[in-house]
Amino acid sequence: MSHYYRPLPISAGEVTDAALPLGGTGKFFYKIAVLSRSQAPRIVLAKEAPAAVLEALTAPRPAFAGLSLDRPRLMGILNITPDSFSDGGRFLGAEAAQRQAAELARGADLIDIGGESTRPGAREVPAEEEMARVVPVIEALRDAGLTTPISVDTRKAAVARAALDAGADVINDVSGFRFDPELADVVAERNAPVILMHSIGTPETMQAQAKYDDVVLDVYDALAATRARAEAAGIPRGRILLDPGIGFGKTDDHNLALLRRLSLFHALGCGLLLGVSRKGFIGRLTGTERPDQRDAASAALGLLAVAQGIQMLRVHDIGIHRQLLAVADALGT
Ligand code: HH2
């Protein structure tokens, strides 16, 4: 595609009949920034965009894992790993994991359980070990009556299968089906909703490969190809959330460029998820060494994402992000 269309959401106070709805998010836009690889951006009235683009931008997204996407949702993070950058080692035992899940469930719409760290430099974990970390926790949570939808953060078909059997609902693959092609078949066979994230290389190597012609347009094209692969495997568009993958094979400047133009990704016609919570680039921007001291800046970026119509935020601190959503809702932002 030579032109890319980024809707410019407007404030709730300025919505008139001429405004177009943004993907059923409750947000609206009149104008679109037209981006290309060869020309400076232009701003045009929305109605000047091709019909197929307007259809992708305006069509309401179907509910995802039973969650309507007409308001922003929170995914709470639960890492059952010894080495995750923020909470590594804290929730390794089933009991500690269960306590944290109960805490998250108070305010999270979805709980994301991961048994393999994917922070830059992290080593791959064998499928058996990953399963041994996440499956007993998912089983224990379901046995205890937890009804919150659970996603499993895995790149592997075998882990996905075992997690779905144990009571997980959603697959969250940071490799966007690149790591294990069989994972697409598992998702299709099981009719599971899926989150497909943009990344390059593997967590061990990705930062060395962080090179793009134009990071925003390159990530857009890669996500379009990922969505097409998923659809070819039999996964309908309405069961897919896409994620630009902040921090995965991206420099700080790449991350900032993506955050400035997040609403572009609505043109892919899927719901969108964003994970910025406590990530390393926030530490570098704010001079905060400890991940658990990065929640204020994480929430500030979360608000920016919500204002651009992002449907789901992946976060560590649910309480702070519930406050963010309350003020955003009151403002109509
Ligand atoms: N980020 C991380 C892990 N999984 N999934 C999606 N969809 N989007 C993300 O941005 C994302 C993700 C990395 O964060 P975390 O789980 O907190 O750490 P670690 O990978 O070290 O376990």
Side-chain angles (χ1 to χ4, degrees), residues 196-219:
L196 296 173
M197 200 195 76
H198 174 268
S199 56
I200 52 176
T202 62
E204 221 172 336
T205 62
M206 62 191 178
Q207 287 314 99
Q209 299 174 19
K211 290 188 187 73
Y212 302 89
D213 286 336
D214 176 319
V215 65
V216 177
L217 304 186
D218 289 1
V219 170

Side-chain angles (χ1 to χ4, degrees), residues 26-309:
K27 297 188 167 43
F28 291 85
F29 64 103
Y30 295 108
K31 292 187 179 170
I32 292 184
V34 182
L35 313 176
S36 90
R37 292 179 186 276
S38 52
Q39 292 160 342
R42 282 183 301 131
I43 295 193
V44 301
L45 288 175
K47 60 180 189 218
E48 288 175 36
V53 172
L54 289 182
E55 171 62 21
L57 288 175
T58 56
R61 313 309 186 214
F64 185 81
L67 302 167
S68 65
L69 297 181
D70 53 357
R71 59 198 156 99
R73 298 292 188 167
L74 294 182
M75 168 192 268
I77 302 169
L78 179 55
N79 285 316
I80 323 279
T81 58
D83 55 345
S84 286
F85 76 93
S86 170
D87 52 1
R90 284 187 59 200
F91 309 118
L92 261 179
E95 236 172 77
Q98 234 173 306
R99 263 200 312 278
Q100 176 66 3
E103 179 68 31
L104 290 172
R106 271 195 262 257
D109 298 298
L110 183 72
I111 296 179
D112 189 43
I113 299 185
E116 177 184 57
S117 174
T118 47
R119 71 183 155 68
R123 288 265 162 78
E124 187 183 329
V125 174
E128 293 67 36
E129 197 171 329
E130 200 181 325
M131 274 190 258
R133 290 177 183 172
V134 298
V135 168
V137 172
I138 297 169
E139 279 171 350
L141 292 174
R142 288 301 182 225
D143 285 349
L146 182 88
T147 54
T148 310
I150 293 175
S151 59
V152 62
D153 189 343
T154 188
R155 303 179 291 164
K156 305 184 188 87
V159 178
R161 225 178 261 120
L164 291 170
D165 287 343
D169 307 279
V170 176
I171 304 304
N172 174 23
D173 177 11
V174 298
S175 85
F177 289 155
R178 284 183 308 110
F179 182 81
D180 182 350
E182 222 189 295
L183 183 52
D185 300 328
V186 174
V187 168
E189 273 159 29
R190 308 291 288 260
N191 291 326
V194 66
I195 298 154
L196 296 173
M197 200 195 76
H198 174 268
S199 56
I200 52 176
T202 62
E204 221 172 336
T205 62
M206 62 191 178
Q207 287 314 99
Q209 299 174 19
K211 290 188 187 73
Y212 302 89
D213 286 336
D214 176 319
V215 65
V216 177
L217 304 186
D218 289 1
V219 170
Y220 184 96
D221 285 345
L223 283 176
T226 300
R227 186 205 56 202
R229 267 199 307 280
E231 289 182 306
I235 304 164
R237 195 172 286 202
R239 282 218 320 268
I240 303 169
L241 291 191
L242 295 172
D243 178 345
I246 296 297
F248 282 79
K250 282 113 185 163
T251 64
D252 293 357
D253 283 345
H254 292 147
N255 291 327
L256 292 170
L258 287 164
L259 291 171
R260 286 190 193 104
R261 288 185 161 155
L262 273 182
S263 63
L264 171 70
F265 296 100
H266 290 297
L268 290 163
C270 291
L272 302 175
L273 180 142
L274 188 78
V276 285
S277 181
R278 298 184 179 174
K279 284 191 174 169
F281 83 104
I282 295 182
R284 290 185 289 278
L285 290 176
T286 59
T288 39
E289 190 104 343
R290 280 179 42 190
D292 64 356
Q293 289 177 342
R294 298 175 191 158
D295 287 323
S298 301
L301 293 176
L303 180 59
L304 181 140
V306 165
Q308 296 202 45

